[in-house]
Amino acid sequence: MARISLSPPRTLFHRAIEWYSKRSYGAVLEPAKALGHHPRVLWTDLRLEQSVAKWDKLDPTLKALAVMASAASIGCSWCMDFGYWENTRHGVPAEKLHHVPLWRDSDVYAPLERDVMEYAEAMTATPPTATDALTERLCEQLGEAAFVELTAMIAVENLRSRMNSALGLTSQGFKDSCEVPPAAARKAADAPAGASAESR
């Protein structure tokens, strides 16, 4: 349960944010509701996110995995929920996103993806535990511009996840709205043609 009211003053600015949020995401994002109690903080956050969205040196899948690994390390269920929904919309394989919390035990990742998630976790640790060997390997594979973007992206996700977690924001149900058929529907789709409902 949120530790702050999610009903900020309905100023013209906040009504505009609500309209944009519903239009873009189908719902008003709860972090925006929480930050709406301090319009300058909300405005600064929006400007930051608009700028971050224009960064383009790092592969989108690597960026998504880094963000999700950082959110998982912190335990921000809101960021994991929204991140899954947002990144599947942009073509990141759902299987890769789903396995992030247990990436070390999963076989769906390439070596570079594993390095990226290891770096995200190392940067997110307190104090950070990134090693020279790991950062050198990433610089060689990504190039310096993309490595800087990776580092900055993880730092931005730390801001998001730590703030959302401290405010008590939890999953808002975005992942539930992803167009992934439930297990029963998948079974039905896989059943032989002509099979009766009872036999399924």
Side-chain angles (χ1 to χ4, degrees), residues 84 88 94-95 98 174-186:
Y84 184 95
T88 53
E95 184 180 34
H98 180 73
F174 282 97
K175 184 179 177 184
D176 296 339
S177 69
C178 293
E179 295 182 352
V180 178
R186 286 199 300 272

Side-chain angles (χ1 to χ4, degrees), residues 120-142:
E121 287 186 356
M123 256 193 77
T124 302
T126 303
T129 59
T131 64
D132 290 344
L134 178 58
T135 54
E136 286 170 12
R137 196 159 66 240
L138 283 167
C139 268
E140 287 174 6
Q141 295 178 90
L142 298 174

Side-chain angles (χ1 to χ4, degrees), residues 29-47:
L29 304 186
E30 290 183 355
K33 291 182 181 181
L35 298 186
H37 291 284
H38 194 313
R40 286 189 178 182
V41 171
L42 176 57
W43 179 242
T44 299
D45 186 69
L46 291 173
R47 290 172 62 195

